[in-house]
Amino acid sequence: MAAYIQCFWGLFLSLSLYFIHSTPTPHVYIVYLGLNHNQDPTLTSKYHHKLLSNVFASEEDAKQSMLYSYKHSFSGFSAKLNSTQATALAKMEGVISVFRSKTLQLHTTRSWDFVGFTLGNNKVTPLQLAFGDDIVVGMFDTGIWPESESFSEEPRMKPIPSTWRGECVKGDRFDPKTNCNRKLIGARYYLKGFEEENGPLRNPEYQSSRDFLGHGTHTASTAVGSIVKNASFFGLGLGTARGGAPRARLAVYKICWANEEFNSVCSEIDILAAFDDALHDGVHIISASFGPRPPMLPLFETSAGIGSFHAMQLGITVAFSAGNEGPDPSLVTNVAPWSISVAASSVDRMFRTQILVDSSLSIMGESFLPTEIKGKLADPSMYFEHGVCNSDNYMNESKPAVGKVVVCFSTDGPTLIDHAVAAVKTANALGLIFVEPMTRQTADVEIVPTVYVNFEQGTQIKNYLYESPSLPRVRIMPTKTIIGKSPAPTVADFSSRGPSSLTPDILKPDVTAPGVSILAAWPHDTSPTLSPSDDRRVRWNFQSGTSMSCPHVSGVAALIKSAHPRWSPSAIRSALITTAYTRDTTSDSILAGGSMKVADPFDIGAGHINPLKALDPGLVYEMKTSDYILFLCNIGYTQENIHKMVLPCPGVDISCPKVPKSNTNINYPSITVSNLKSTMTIKRTVRNVGHKKNTIYFASIVKPDGVEVFIWPRALIFSWFNEENSYYVTLKPLKKSQGRYDFGEIVWSDGCHKVRSPLVVCVNTTDDSSDSIARTSSSI
């Protein structure tokens, strides 16, 4: 009997374990249904609950599972589902895509002077102050520090636009009555996705739109911050701070939160909820400095792809950061052809810091040190095993490095700057001299005083240290701000590069903008390094990343939209792309950080933004509904799906072309051919938006190496009765090549405007014989 009972319980335990392991684990999924055809948000939500009920035992279970119902600007919902339920939903009629919600990451004064927006001398009204009152910029980020002077009302600010439907939501240390005004007109926060993945929110984060991490405050002030004089970081970078569009209105959508390690966490279901609200609220521009890490997923299996697509259809321009995965190729993110992807580059400002060793050796590095440091120079081998600056290598039995400035090389280990800073702090060192290649140097605010030097300088310091009979004395002088002495822009080494791994026939990034050592507003209760042991508090802070370059473009886009309210997102993007420049302040080619080479379109897109010229580009390339339909066809969507996704447009055929056309034929301002095997012809259409309606534009060409380029016609004639013209570009390969990209450009000019399009071509002909190339050539 005992044996029988033992056998029974053994079998019961085995079956229990089987069912436990065989039950699919629930995860958070997004179910995307396309346009909101019902219009009524209440009816849309009821439909979502009904659809979800099909995979649950009861409607009550379905309601408990649902996290968000996206019911305003597009249709969809997020819910906790197991894989079986997700698969069943994906097969249901009306469902376009079902995908797991992922966690995304953030891509983290002088810059506006550098791009040409000076405040002037009161003789004329600067362009930054002439436009923007009627534009609302939505910031998708970590929230806002509303007390910052950057978000105070500009003088004589008009009432909030009557079209605004948003609101300021009350929360932890955020009172709409005192924190919102004619400048900050909207503030929402989204927490469900974060808490599903990370558990309840913890201190010191705020359960409201108030910003703890600082990233959102920084980006918002960069895009639309009010004019604030005497802004600086302990005296460094002193000047007048303002955003690109100081008079524009600000709406904040907090979608990223601090986890236990003070890292930012952005849940896709929260992001999509923010898009749903922002599009309904009435924003004109969305600035989104976040993105996924490669590999890239299909565009309509991402919150950014879905949200920005529906924003574009409503006339809302969306600017994204290109990512911080550089300098390796093909890691650029946010590559949808209906949004703007922004790379990062430097400005002509340096923070020079002198290092004096025994008063015999003088080295000039980069840092943010407001005060002088005196100590002894030390080799890391005194405190770390094998001389590798890493906390795990710290030799506890050694004496602390009190009063020592440790020299760490990035190649030892290798060692990342974060590891080196943590290591010397663990050793109680006085400071750090960090040695890395000159092409990768980006000074940052650190918890330990840190000076960045290149390898030539670092080698001199190291050799001096080895030859000294005792530890040499070292003085590090206070940092000095130097303006106009360095060639700029230079592409930041961290800035993600093309070509796009998802859409290789669409050039990404689109443009580059200032994103290195950008000074902007900061939460007053947050340390500049986010370290709990950092007791410094600042109102302004330095940050670097494509997160910083993105709001520069958002601010400029707001000015363009204000100056040209009828322009579409594609027209605004075109103006930014075709007026961008590729020469630095010395009139030489822009260099690509992370290498010693000249930057190409995969580094900078069309080039560096030129806001003044973008306001008057001459011609624009408009993307119409037919272009987006072609793109959707090419990425595999059926006519039925396209009908659910695309707003109806009279006279537009939503069916896919019977003769396939590549994405090269989309009316994008840049021209990219990722696989040129034989002669091909591409069509582009431009619209005259200049003040002169009767004008003629003439074409000039810089041919990519090994490619013959023909343009017809070579002149475009515009008039009051003919504001649009088309031209054709024929490309013919002249060389044997495989997988090599070459670059050129097409420029249309009327004598006043230069409308420049990058021409990117990859010739793939090595599989063809020379005879077949000759036959192709002779048939033209």
Side-chain angles (χ1 to χ4, degrees):
M1 183 67 177
Y4 175 80
I5 293 174
Q6 186 176 9
C7 179
F8 171 79
W9 282 112
L11 178 61
F12 177 79
L13 180 61
S14 298
L15 288 171
S16 299
L17 289 172
Y18 171 79
F19 283 114
I20 289 171
H21 288 293
S22 63
T23 302
T25 304
H27 295 284
V28 177
Y29 282 83
I30 293 172
V31 180
Y32 173 55
L33 306 173
L35 292 168
N36 182 9
H37 293 286
N38 288 325
Q39 297 301 318
D40 186 331
T42 303
L43 291 177
T44 303
S45 287
K46 287 182 178 178
Y47 172 67
H48 293 162
H49 284 118
K50 183 178 179 181
L51 187 65
L52 187 58
S53 297
N54 291 322
V55 295
F56 280 92
S58 68
E59 191 169 330
E60 186 60 33
D61 289 344
K63 286 184 178 180
Q64 290 181 1
S65 169
M66 185 174 289
L67 298 170
Y68 288 110
S69 172
Y70 309 122
K71 55 186 179 293
H72 294 299
S73 311
F74 48 88
S75 181
F77 57 87
S78 54
K80 292 186 71 174
L81 306 168
N82 59 41
S83 58
T84 304
Q85 293 169 318
T87 301
L89 278 169
K91 294 177 181 179
M92 291 182 183
E93 185 179 353
V95 175
I96 294 174
S97 62
V98 178
F99 56 96
R100 275 185 63 177
S101 173
K102 295 165 290 299
T103 296
L104 308 186
Q105 59 183 0
L106 293 170
H107 290 149
T108 289
T109 71
R110 173 62 189 167
S111 58
W112 289 116
D113 290 311
F114 178 72
V115 301
F117 274 168
T118 55
L119 286 177
N121 54 8
N122 298 323
K123 291 183 179 178
V124 295
T125 302
L127 279 171
Q128 281 184 293
L129 303 182
F131 299 107
D133 266 298
D134 51 345
I135 299 301
V136 182
V137 177
M139 301 297 301
F140 286 23
D141 218 295
T142 63
I144 196 78
W145 192 263
E147 291 82 7
S148 171
E149 297 164 277
S150 287
F151 312 119
S152 59
E153 294 180 5
E154 280 285 307
R156 298 177 298 280
M157 210 162 197
K158 297 177 183 177
I160 296 171
S162 58
T163 55
W164 178 245
R165 296 187 295 271
E167 62 177 314
C168 288
V169 177
K170 190 173 183 179
D172 184 13
R173 288 190 62 187
F174 193 95
D175 184 354
K177 293 180 181 178
T178 56
N179 293 140
C180 288
N181 51 32
R182 290 186 176 184
K183 178 69 174 181
L184 177 58
I185 65 173
R188 299 180 186 269
Y189 63 96
Y190 306 85
L191 192 55
K192 293 179 182 178
F194 173 87
E195 291 194 327
E196 280 295 330
E197 299 290 340
N198 300 273
L201 197 67
R202 297 178 177 85
N203 285 329
E205 183 59 278
Y206 308 101
Q207 190 167 337
S208 70
S209 298
R210 183 171 289 276
D211 185 14
F212 165 71
L213 287 170
H215 193 277
T217 300
H218 196 282
T219 56
S221 65
T222 301
V224 298
S226 299
I227 296 173
V228 183
K229 295 181 179 179
N230 299 316
S232 74
F233 177 83
F234 296 109
L236 297 174
L238 180 65
T240 300
R242 74 274 190 195
R247 298 193 68 84
R249 316 307 175 114
L250 172 63
V252 171
Y253 299 84
K254 183 175 179 178
I255 44 92
C256 299
W257 304 81
N259 63 11
E260 288 182 331
E261 293 78 31
F262 293 167
N263 294 320
S264 61
V265 176
C266 319
S267 168
E268 283 208 288
I269 71 167
D270 294 337
I271 293 168
L272 208 53
F275 267 112
D276 190 35
D277 281 338
L279 273 55
H280 178 261
D281 289 345
V283 302
H284 301 94
I285 310 290
I286 291 175
S287 188
S289 292
F290 59 79
R293 300 194 68 174
M296 301 294 293
L297 292 174
L299 292 175
F300 288 93
E301 293 183 17
T302 68
S303 58
I306 293 170
S308 60
F309 179 74
H310 289 281
M312 173 275 299
Q313 293 194 88
L314 295 176
I316 300 166
T317 297
V318 184
F320 285 107
S321 47
N324 295 342
E325 303 293 333
D328 293 332
S330 296
L331 299 181
V332 63
T333 62
N334 296 316
V335 297
W338 46 79
S339 60
I340 306 172
S341 180
V342 189
S345 46
S346 64
V347 298
D348 62 342
R349 180 176 61 185
M350 298 181 294
F351 298 94
R352 304 313 300 261
T353 308
Q354 186 181 21
I355 303 170
L356 287 172
V357 184
D358 277 347
S359 300
S360 301
L361 178 64
S362 176
I363 297 292
M364 198 65 74
E366 286 269 324
S367 186
F368 297 118
L369 298 184
T371 57
E372 182 179 340
I373 292 175
K374 293 182 180 180
K376 293 289 186 73
L377 199 63
D379 189 82
S381 60
M382 298 173 59
Y383 310 103
F384 306 101
E385 291 181 7
H386 312 299
V388 177
C389 297
N390 192 302
S391 299
D392 295 337
N393 291 14
Y394 181 53
M395 297 180 289
N396 294 315
E397 67 276 6
S398 68
K399 295 180 180 179
V402 176
K404 307 298 191 301
V405 176
V406 183
V407 184
C408 295
F409 278 70
S410 63
T411 48
D412 289 339
T415 301
L416 299 174
I417 178 61
D418 292 345
H419 296 163
V421 170
V424 296
K425 180 170 176 54
T426 300
N428 290 312
L430 178 64
L432 166 67
I433 296 175
F434 191 69
V435 187
E436 60 182 351
M438 68 174 68
T439 57
R440 293 178 178 265
Q441 283 184 306
T442 302
D444 206 353
V445 178
E446 307 289 359
I447 182 64
V448 175
T450 302
V451 185
Y452 296 75
V453 300
N454 63 40
F455 266 88
E456 180 183 349
Q457 297 168 320
T459 301
Q460 292 182 55
I461 296 172
K462 190 91 168 178
N463 290 341
Y464 189 97
L465 180 59
Y466 280 164
E467 293 168 4
S468 297
S470 59
L471 295 182
R473 290 175 288 110
V474 61
R475 290 177 64 197
I476 302 178
M477 309 304 291
T479 298
K480 293 183 178 180
T481 305
I482 308 295
I483 294 174
K485 300 296 184 182
S486 59
T490 296
V491 183
D493 72 285
F494 55 75
S495 185
S496 292
R497 276 31 176 208
S500 166
S501 59
L502 194 62
T503 56
D505 284 330
I506 304 293
L507 178 62
K508 295 290 176 173
D510 289 297
V511 289
T512 188
V516 177
S517 300
I518 303 301
L519 183 69
W522 197 253
H524 306 168
D525 288 356
T526 299
S527 76
T529 61
L530 298 179
S531 172
S533 60
D534 188 352
D535 58 4
R536 294 175 295 176
R537 294 295 180 266
V538 296
R539 294 176 181 268
W540 308 93
N541 197 14
F542 287 105
Q543 294 271 281
S544 296
T546 53
S547 278
M548 283 65 246
S549 58
C550 174
H552 279 85
V553 168
S554 306
V556 176
L559 291 180
I560 297 174
K561 183 68 175 177
S562 182
H564 307 285
R566 295 184 179 181
W567 281 17
S568 67
S570 64
I572 293 173
R573 181 177 59 242
S574 174
L576 290 164
I577 289 174
T578 60
T579 59
Y581 60 86
T582 58
R583 296 280 170 174
D584 65 19
T585 50
T586 67
S587 298
D588 209 340
S589 298
I590 294 174
L591 291 177
S595 71
M596 301 293 286
K597 73 178 184 70
V598 171
D600 61 45
F602 292 144
D603 303 311
I604 58 174
H608 194 281
I609 59 167
N610 190 332
L612 293 176
K613 289 191 175 181
L615 284 163
D616 180 24
L619 305 177
V620 294
Y621 293 78
E622 288 269 20
M623 284 183 68
K624 298 181 179 178
T625 304
S626 56
D627 291 297
Y628 297 114
I629 290 172
L630 174 60
F631 181 82
L632 295 173
C633 291
N634 286 339
I635 61 175
Y637 286 94
T638 63
Q639 183 175 340
E640 182 184 359
N641 283 336
I642 293 171
H643 175 73
K644 297 171 187 171
M645 298 158 67
V646 177
L647 283 171
C649 185
V652 175
D653 184 6
I654 64 168
S655 61
C656 294
K658 295 179 180 178
V659 179
K661 293 182 180 180
S662 72
N663 287 334
T664 299
N665 292 282
I666 291 172
N667 201 43
Y668 211 73
S670 55
I671 298 175
T672 305
V673 182
S674 62
N675 187 22
L676 182 65
K677 292 188 173 183
S678 59
T679 299
M680 71 180 300
T681 299
I682 301 160
K683 179 183 177 182
R684 286 292 188 270
T685 300
V686 289
R687 178 165 63 92
N688 180 21
V689 294
H691 297 296
K692 291 177 64 177
K693 300 304 178 185
N694 297 309
T695 187
I696 303 175
Y697 278 81
F698 296 94
S700 61
I701 307 167
V702 176
K703 301 174 183 178
D705 184 51
V707 180
E708 187 61 71
V709 182
F710 303 95
I711 291 184
W712 183 86
R714 295 296 294 261
L716 301 177
I717 302 173
F718 297 93
S719 69
W720 283 98
F721 309 102
N722 181 36
E723 67 174 12
E724 273 194 358
N725 268 304
S726 296
Y727 67 91
Y728 298 86
V729 182
T730 299
L731 306 174
K732 181 173 72 173
L734 300 178
K735 65 178 181 179
K736 284 190 173 183
S737 184
Q738 186 72 35
R740 177 191 177 98
Y741 278 92
D742 292 285
F743 310 99
E745 64 183 30
I746 296 171
V747 180
W748 290 95
S749 177
D750 65 347
C752 297
H753 305 91
K754 287 188 175 180
V755 185
R756 177 180 165 274
S757 292
L759 181 56
V760 180
V761 182
C762 180
V763 175
N764 281 319
T765 54
T766 53
D767 292 338
D768 301 327
S769 67
S770 57
D771 290 339
S772 65
I773 295 178
R775 284 196 300 272
T776 303
S777 302
S778 64
S779 64
I780 297 172

